[in-house]
Every structure is written in structure tokens, then in C-alpha cells.
Amino acid sequence: MSTLAVAKKDFLDVRRAKIVWFVSSLYVLIAVLMFYFGQNNTENPEFYYALTGLTGNGAMILTLVALVTAYLAIAGERESGSIKYMLSIPNSRRDVVLGKFLTRSAVVVGSILVGFGIGAVLGVLWYPSVDVEMFLGALALTILFTLTYVSVAIGISAATASRSRAMGGTIGFFFVTTVLALFRMVSFALDWVLNDLLGLELSQNALTFIEALMSPIMAFSGAIELVFPDQAAQAAQSAAETPWYLEGETMVVILLAWLIVPLVLGIWRFERADLG
């Protein structure tokens, strides 16, 4: 067998998971609500605001979709022992990790495409004009962002031997890098540790960059300016004050790193794991 063969078999398993269907349906509901309220009771509804609502407000839901879909991909089978059968067919351990990543990514991307597809239909029906370039840019950036969380969840699942550890690692990652980051607690903690305790006297720009390195959702927030023209214009006005490492292109590079590094580390750890 191969990576694709593992992916095909895994797809049959993941499509039966009710929790995956639930969180995916929740994202589709968010898409409908954003486009409905974006034009409701508004004399001149703008597609721009509905799309920014879906892209921004939907990001939190998509992190849950990705993590719930992927966190038990390998750890669940290691705990049950079925991973030994998959490896005896034979498949390499790398095939297993990459196959699981492909399957879970396909499920998550499918949810995004459905959500954005409904948004496109509602945009045509309810709004005077639809900016196709902006729509496709938001879609591409949203997919990249969400796949970083799939990669993290697969990496955690490959590095742990039980469901409880995979769940604990995933919840911890989500809470620290997503919830606390959005409530600016990570920024506060970095300022306190690096400046107050260690006396490094880092600028706010440097702290923001470190926060983006630590949190995919903060890097995603910084990359949004590449898609939405109003935010890009605001960024251009302060270009003299904004260093290169906070520009949207740099944030995309950080997202690509979050996509690749956890997966590579997961493969490295799984290849050296004792499956008992």
C-alpha cells in the first residue's frame, strides 16, 4: 500500500464520525449567518463585510473543525492496536502519517468549500456585486490557515500513544495559541516575561512577531491585509512604521512553516516510537 491507499481507507473511517459532521455543519451555519446579517436591514449591502465576517468569525470554528477531525487520527489506532495491522500490510510509518494528513485535510477543505460555496451563492443572490478576486484570495488563505491546525493535530496524534494524551495536547495547544492569543493574554505574557523579567526591552512590533510565530491564528490575522483592500490601505498608510517581518507576506511564510514543521516532527517521532 501507499500514502494514497492509507488515505482511502482512513476516509471510510472519518466520514462516520458524528462530531466531525457536527462541527463542519456549525461552520456552514456561520457562513449562512454572516451573509444573511450582512445584508439584512441594510440599504446598501456590501459583499466585502459579509466575506470579512465569514473569514474572521469563521476562523475560530475552523480551528475546532481541524483539531476535532485530526487529533485521534493516529493516537486512537495506536491505543486500540489497529495501527499494527495497518503497518503489516505493509505501509511505512511515513505513509500512515501522510495518508492520515491527506484524509483529514480533505474533510476540512471540503467543509471550507461548502461554506464558501454557500457564501458565493448568497452573495450573488443578496448583494449588488461580488468581488471574485477577493473571494478566491480569502478562500485560499482560509484553507492554508486551517491546514496548519490539521498539521498540528496530526503531529500531536503521531507523537502520542493514547487518546487521552492526544486530547490533552490538542486542547492545550488550542487554549494557549488560540483562545489566549485572541484575548491578548499571550501578548501580555510575552511582554511581562521578556521585558519585565528578562529586561530585553523588545518593541511592540517584535513582541507581535513572536506572538505570530507562536500562534497560527495571529499569523492569519496579520496575513488578512493581503486579501481585503481596506485593511491593505490602512497598512500602506503606516508602511513607514511597519517592519518587513510584520507584513502579510511574512505572515504567509509563518503559516507555511506551521503547515510543514508539525507534520515533519510528527513523522520523526512516530518513526521512532515503540508500538509495543
Side-chain angles (χ1 to χ4, degrees):
M1 294 181 74
S2 64
T3 297
L4 291 179
V6 173
K8 290 178 181 179
K9 178 185 179 301
D10 188 51
F11 182 77
L12 298 176
D13 297 330
V14 73
R15 71 178 184 177
R16 293 193 291 264
K18 294 181 179 179
I19 185 63
V20 173
W21 283 99
F22 173 76
V23 292
S24 298
S25 300
L26 186 59
Y27 178 70
V28 173
L29 176 61
I30 290 293
V32 174
L33 291 176
M34 289 300 101
F35 279 84
Y36 174 75
F37 288 112
Q39 56 84 40
N40 192 36
N41 296 324
T42 303
E43 293 183 2
N44 298 308
E46 292 189 29
F47 180 77
Y48 168 85
Y49 294 109
L51 186 59
T52 55
L54 173 60
T55 307
N57 296 326
M60 175 69 82
I61 301 299
L62 284 175
T63 62
L64 294 176
V65 174
L67 295 176
V68 167
T69 300
Y71 83 100
L72 287 181
I74 299 172
E77 294 201 26
R78 286 182 65 179
E79 186 173 84
S80 67
S82 60
I83 195 71
K84 296 178 182 178
Y85 168 75
M86 183 173 291
L87 291 172
S88 67
I89 290 179
N91 295 303
S92 71
R93 299 193 183 192
R94 180 178 299 179
D95 287 338
V96 171
V97 176
L98 293 178
K100 298 281 188 177
F101 174 75
L102 288 178
T103 302
R104 310 304 162 120
S105 295
V107 172
V108 170
V109 171
S111 300
I112 297 173
L113 292 178
V114 171
F116 270 76
I118 291 175
V121 172
L122 296 181
V124 172
L125 294 176
W126 291 344
Y127 293 83
S129 63
V130 173
D131 189 326
V132 176
E133 183 178 355
M134 183 171 63
F135 177 84
L136 293 177
L139 174 61
L141 187 59
T142 298
I143 289 175
L144 172 60
F145 161 69
T146 309
L147 290 184
T148 65
Y149 278 81
V150 177
S151 177
V152 168
I154 291 293
I156 292 173
S157 190
T160 52
S162 67
R163 292 171 175 263
S164 59
R165 291 179 181 177
M167 180 181 293
T170 303
I171 292 175
F173 177 84
F174 174 75
F175 183 74
V176 173
T177 67
T178 305
V179 177
L180 293 184
L182 288 175
F183 282 97
R184 311 306 300 172
M185 296 302 295
V186 172
S187 178
F188 174 80
L190 286 173
D191 186 28
W192 180 68
V193 172
L194 298 178
N195 288 337
D196 294 344
L197 289 183
L198 300 180
L200 298 181
E201 298 183 357
L202 297 178
S203 66
Q204 184 58 50
N205 284 336
L207 293 174
T208 300
F209 177 68
I210 295 173
E211 187 179 15
L213 290 175
M214 295 175 58
S215 170
I217 202 167
M218 299 311 295
F220 175 67
S221 298
I224 285 294
E225 68 178 52
L226 297 174
V227 175
F228 298 115
D230 283 0
Q231 295 188 23
Q234 293 174 3
Q237 292 177 359
S238 59
E241 304 173 4
T242 303
W244 63 268
Y245 52 81
L246 292 183
E247 294 179 354
E249 292 83 357
T250 305
M251 296 297 107
V252 170
V253 172
I254 292 175
L255 287 175
L256 288 172
W258 272 107
L259 175 64
I260 296 171
V261 173
L263 196 60
V264 170
L265 292 178
I267 292 172
W268 177 80
R269 183 67 183 87
F270 187 55
E271 287 181 335
R272 289 158 178 76
D274 181 7
L275 302 181

